[in-house]
Amino acid sequence: TVELPAEVIYGGGDNGVLYEMDGKFSFLRAWALPSSEDIEGIGADPVSGEFFTVDEDTSDVDGWDWASGSDPVKTSIDCVLAIPTDTGNNLGIEVFTYLPAEEAPADWKSASWADANGYLFAGSQTDSNVGVFPIGLCTSDAVLSPVLSIPSTSTDIAGLATLKGNLYVLHDSF
């Protein structure tokens, strides 16, 4: 049996459903978003418990707070990420995650775009770069361009993770 060090695991799917599991992968509950979003990625702030979803086709980011025993409540996080996509060919945002500010590289803290609230990372299947977006600017349906573009070696980015100051990128093709 695999047990994660997390008390709760949140996820989402192409059908616009958010779900919650415990650290042993036991299903706890699900909730359908009010619109038919194609949730392609999810990130979470480990301090506040707020989590963020991105829609593959519209590049729309929403923040959520899922208090115990209630439906998720939309937070003030609400923006559109301006990264290359080709949704006509089903090539939208494919990877998405959140990085707390305290885990960001030291030189980011002195950048003009530094954000004490953390950063969203996103990449698409049509581009080889991973965009970095300060989460504090993600309000009121703002359209955000990346403040930093991290190059990777190939297009068709399929997976993304951060761990101990490293960014890991997985590609479907190389």
Side-chain angles (χ1 to χ4, degrees):
T1 302
V2 174
E3 186 171 339
L4 295 179
E7 293 178 28
V8 178
I9 301 163
Y10 296 108
D14 287 345
N15 58 357
V17 173
L18 297 175
Y19 57 87
E20 181 182 46
M21 297 181 293
D22 66 18
K24 295 180 181 180
F25 297 103
S26 295
F27 177 80
L28 298 174
R29 59 187 168 161
W31 185 76
L33 293 170
S35 59
S36 58
E37 292 191 39
D38 179 359
I39 300 171
E40 198 61 32
I42 192 165
D45 182 337
V47 175
S48 71
E50 183 177 13
F51 62 98
F52 318 102
T53 59
V54 66
D55 184 291
E56 178 179 17
D57 298 327
T58 65
S59 304
D60 184 47
V61 175
D62 291 308
W64 302 94
D65 183 9
W66 204 338
S68 180
S70 71
D71 289 343
V73 175
K74 197 165 177 331
T75 68
S76 63
I77 299 299
D78 182 17
C79 65
V80 176
L81 304 181
I83 63 173
T85 61
D86 182 0
T87 56
N89 289 310
N90 197 30
L91 299 172
I93 288 183
E94 190 69 10
V95 295
F96 179 79
T97 194
Y98 169 80
L99 180 72
E102 55 272 7
E103 295 179 23
D107 58 339
W108 288 16
K109 292 170 180 49
S110 61
S112 61
W113 43 264
D115 192 329
N117 298 307
Y119 304 90
L120 299 173
F121 287 62
S124 76
Q125 295 166 298
T126 61
D127 190 22
S128 61
N129 298 321
V130 175
V132 178
F133 305 85
I135 198 164
L137 300 177
C138 187
T139 59
S140 304
D141 254 349
V143 176
L144 298 185
S145 295
V147 295
L148 183 64
S149 187
I150 302 170
S152 65
T153 56
S154 181
T155 58
D156 202 3
I157 295 174
L160 185 66
T162 59
L163 179 65
K164 297 183 180 179
N166 294 307
L167 177 66
Y168 297 89
V169 180
L170 174 71
H171 298 273
D172 275 340
S173 57
F174 196 72

